[in-house]
């Protein structure tokens, strides 16, 4: 049977819509004063939290489309994320998440963040993020369930997804937990040293930080990590600072309701216009004391300093003390140069 | 020029998309423990707040689509709204707002709220709301600006919108402000009396106010006590006021999740530069009615008034009415003098 | 065995560090707009809440260090606390808590609060607080458990702690509950009357309640209105209650940042399965005193009572006192019947 044009259109539209609502979700929210610093720049952590919430909605929805165990989607990894433009109080953040690859046990979600000034109408792409999650059974949180496969628009698309999957798997296996320990110094440290700006924050995990099943939302953790990194950056350069990027984050272990988490940050590297801050998250199950404290997450945040016109501002160089700090600085420099080279290559490819 | 089918399709899609993003917005959010009561039912107020936020986004966006004054969209009226189904913690609320009618100065927005259980996939329409707003100039908030007209899919649609507009206009004119007295205040008390500034606040203890074990954090209680004391102080002296000290606080009895607490404050004493406010906390275990209301905490807060340079500012003396107030004033004065003497002694010891 | 000097040092350091993490905790947080008043002074209550949170972490951790019952640490008393310096938005509050004395059943925690301006680097001691807590068994919240003893650096230190313990014990015993009457409630109203369930709430409009232009979001007002209506409904029928509908709401006048709003609710009508609550919102521009209090919004909320299976539950009839209440009841009944008729008509039309 031949469809008349308008029927065809409606048919295609419906198909698109069904696909959209299955593999796709958009959340939107007005940015409030508490989402931003005193100059009005929205915290990178606020955006990371929204990204993770969109991921959680689409992820939980997708992994429950098949009959079988009911499950929840736990965040396993966030790929390196760049903050392309600052966002401001009063703007609307639109966060769109789409499932772009599924393996047997893990799912890739790509998320775009758009800022919209609802008064001037200006729109900007502020972030592109890639997250990986793994579905766990609700009946037994130790059991990983199988992921329903998605349909790809072309074999090439599927192949490219598989490559991304293999690459991140390799990288996750390589990432041994970084074993830094931050000890607060006894005597007053000199300005621009690592000891001078290092900071630590403690948070008691409450009900609103958790999923229904009593585990901390990855977004809550990332927001606190960004807060500590921001304090370290501000202490170092004493200006308005904003998140420029976050390195890949691996979520090694889940964190339960009632834990106390300690989030510590120390500066590892400075270039002319950027600072790299290493952040550790340690979880301490207060009541079940015998379980002991454990390292739950680590990541590198890159911050830049802004002047009054929101333009990048030079950063005072980090004063290094001892071999350890020297070594971390060199490692930071290597990451910095690698990212710079990658950005240049991406730019050339686009031209 | 004839478009090839897929070009046509793309063209139509783009048009639809532009129309969608101009007159339509959807916000989505996972419901958290703080959005619901202790049984897990999401508060109607949470949904009303989300409805209004979606309305604000689409409204501000629409009224700024034309050149001219930048403007904001102020809510003028919400039509009768039914809550068709309960929503629960862990579900996702999808709130879609669409502009459905515009007159010269006001705009009708229709909002649908859908609940989605992302585990079972069940979806329900939980609310349909109609809101009216009026755009104000940002340069001059007293000036109402003109609304850009929308396009209707048919003359009947426009006609129906006009009828709704006329009906609500009539109803708004008829609704003279309901002249119910402000409950519990019989006659207006004289300025600077105890009755003039005394204040009372009720708070329903939610999940985030509590420890894991369902009892209110002492810190939550103290924060609310300070809030009431601050309102009493501000009502008395109408300036910027700050907490100077808190007397010893004894926590006589624990307060459980689900209680309503009433925090009441009254001024007891004023010196030249300070005010003492007595604060009571009464707990009412709503559901376990047989237990009855009980006094849980009491304390004295001392506030000072600050001028524009953050320097202490004279406080208007408290007007006393009756023996009781006189007696409390004398007791407050004794505490004031005792603390002053203690501060002086501490100072001398340190020298 | 003799330790080499640097090993010895490290050994001592490690001991100190372990001691620190056991008896000592520091939490840090940036002060947000919602933590402060409109001039930027952080609320005393915000600081009290942080003090108590640090106390809770160290307390729960300490009382679970020994084998035996799992326990929680409940706040029993806060000694007099002075606010030595104001703190401002954007500053970081560092709250350090240390266990300084233990008796058999209670623990003293001393807390210091430091404000740090992370831009200028200026630091100030803003508070010193002393708190006492008592550990309760998690299995049986009526059972007080024994406190693991701490080690003192000298017998004098222990002796001084013991004196503080005895002094506060005496004072707590002396402090009979201050028998101030619950303000404004002259006689206890009879259950099921209007006076019995009527409730009133005050809220200071903070930055996050407002649009960029300093006016309250309509959604914030509606959420508070629903909160008061819910408390009235719960007080009346002492069961799980949910919002069933909201009558048309007209927003007569805008409400500005910094106002105190009073939201009052009273029951006007009950049917077999529903309650109607009238809610008033009055705004009081504290600082611009000449403007005076004004009625900003009014509305009717309808609530239903639910049993344990989320099914509607009969509502106790409202006891009316006086002509006014009778008149309001009749008006409420008219609205109820009108809405019922409308619902039936809508249903028939759909069939």
């Amino acid at each position: 049977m031949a469809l008349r044009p308008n029927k065809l259109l409606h048919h295609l539209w419906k198909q698109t819509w069904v696909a959209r609502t299955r593999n796709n979700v958009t959340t939107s929210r007005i940015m409030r004063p508490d989402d931003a610093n005193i100059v009005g720049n929205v915290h990178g952590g606020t955006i990371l939290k929204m990204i993770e919430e969109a991921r959680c909605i689409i992820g939980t929805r997708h992994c429950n489309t098949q009959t079988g165990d009911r499950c929840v989607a736990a965040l396993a990894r966030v790929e390196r994320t760049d903050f392309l433009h600052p966002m401001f109080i009063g703007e609307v953040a639109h966060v769109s998440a789409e499932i772009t690859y599924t393996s047997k046990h893990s799912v890739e979600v790509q998320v775009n963040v758009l800022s919209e000034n609802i008064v001037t109408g200006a729109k900007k792409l502020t972030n592109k993020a890639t997250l990986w999650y793994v579905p766990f059974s609700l009946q037994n949180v130790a059991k990983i369930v199988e992921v329903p496969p998605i349909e790809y628009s072309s074999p090439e698309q599927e192949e490219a997804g598989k490559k991304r999957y293999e690459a991140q798997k390799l990288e996750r296996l390589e990432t041994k937990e970084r074993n830094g320990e931050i000890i607060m110094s006894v005597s007053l440290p000199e300005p621009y040293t690592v000891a001078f700006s290092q900071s630590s924050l403690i948070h008691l995990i409450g009900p609103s930080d958790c999923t229904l099943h009593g585990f901390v939302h990855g977004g809550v953790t990332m927001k606190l990590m960004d807060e500590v990194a921001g304090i370290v950056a501000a202490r170092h350069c004493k200006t308005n600072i904003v998140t420029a990027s976050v390195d890949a984050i691996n979520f090694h272990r889940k964190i339960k309701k009632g834990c106390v988490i300690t989030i510590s940050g120390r500066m590892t590297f400075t270039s002319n216009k950027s600072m790299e801050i290493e952040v550790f998250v340690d979880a301490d199950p207060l009541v079940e004391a015998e379980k002991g404290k454990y390292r739950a997450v680590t990541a590198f945040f890159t911050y830049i300093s802004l002047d009054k016109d929101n333009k990048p501002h030079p950063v005072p160089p980090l004063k290094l003390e001892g071999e350890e700090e020297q070594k971390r600085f060199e490692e930071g420099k290597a990451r910095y140069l690698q990212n710079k080279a990658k950005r240049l290559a991406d730019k050339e490819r686009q031209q």
Side-chain angles (χ1 to χ4, degrees), chain A residues 80-95:
Chain A
R80 182 186 163 81
T81 307
D82 289 306
F83 291 79
L84 309 171
H85 290 285
M87 203 181 284
F88 298 94
I89 300 174
E91 294 188 341
V92 176
H94 299 279
V95 181

Side-chain angles (χ1 to χ4, degrees), chain A residues 52-294:
Chain A
E52 157 61 2
E53 177 161 331
R55 196 282 313 159
C56 174
I57 293 174
I58 198 173
T60 309
R61 186 194 277 167
H62 179 75
C63 69
N64 283 291
T65 45
Q66 286 191 328
T67 50
D69 273 11
R70 294 285 175 225
C71 56
V72 279
L75 186 62
R77 178 181 164 89
V78 182
E79 300 289 350
R80 182 186 163 81
T81 307
D82 289 306
F83 291 79
L84 309 171
H85 290 285
M87 203 181 284
F88 298 94
I89 300 174
E91 294 188 341
V92 176
H94 299 279
V95 181
S96 314
E98 192 183 356
I99 294 182
T100 44
Y101 185 77
T102 52
S103 75
K104 194 175 170 193
H105 287 132
S106 47
V107 180
E108 184 196 55
V109 177
Q110 292 194 4
V111 183
N112 287 338
V113 183
L114 214 78
S115 74
E116 178 190 3
N117 182 321
I118 49 176
V119 174
T120 66
K123 280 179 195 169
K124 279 180 177 172
L125 179 74
T126 61
N127 294 79
K128 285 174 87 110
T130 303
L131 300 92
W132 293 90
Y133 74 84
V134 175
F136 288 93
S137 163
L138 262 179
Q139 281 72 45
N140 171 8
V141 287
K143 183 185 162 196
I144 299 180
V145 302
E146 271 193 39
V147 174
I150 60 165
E151 278 171 41
Y152 300 92
S153 62
S154 70
E156 291 75 27
Q157 204 194 21
E158 180 168 9
E159 197 49 44
K162 197 170 182 181
K163 271 187 191 157
R164 290 193 305 272
Y165 168 70
E166 298 295 349
Q168 66 87 26
K169 202 173 164 185
L170 199 69
E171 217 179 299
R172 287 183 64 191
L173 286 173
E174 276 174 1
T175 314
K176 54 183 182 309
E177 296 185 20
R178 283 167 202 132
N179 57 355
E181 187 175 319
I182 292 183
I183 294 168
M184 288 300 152
S185 58
V186 191
S187 62
L188 212 67
E190 205 187 333
Y192 309 129
T193 59
V194 174
F196 182 77
S197 60
Q198 70 182 14
S199 303
S200 193
L201 183 158
I202 291 182
H203 178 73
L204 180 62
I205 300 297
S208 281
D209 299 325
C210 294
T211 62
L212 260 186
H213 322 95
F215 293 104
V216 176
H217 279 292
V220 170
T221 313
M222 290 194 287
K223 189 166 188 291
L224 289 166
M225 293 170 85
D226 178 64
E227 193 172 324
V228 167
I231 294 175
V232 173
R235 276 182 169 162
H236 182 79
C237 65
K238 316 235 172 257
T239 53
N240 179 29
I241 47 86
V242 293
T243 318
S245 68
V246 190
D247 211 48
I249 307 180
N250 292 310
F251 290 82
H252 308 300
R253 293 179 58 178
K254 287 196 285 266
I255 304 172
K256 225 178 156 177
K257 189 156 75 177
C259 278
V260 166
I261 58 174
T262 305
I263 304 113
S264 315
R266 67 177 168 205
M267 198 163 288
T268 44
F269 168 76
T270 51
S271 72
N272 283 344
K273 303 228 160 141
S274 72
M275 299 159 270
E276 188 196 60
I277 296 118
E278 186 172 17
V279 181
F280 305 96
V281 180
D282 294 294
D284 184 357
L286 274 194
V287 176
E288 302 155 278
E290 72 284 348
K291 287 197 179 168
K293 226 168 165 167
Y294 59 91

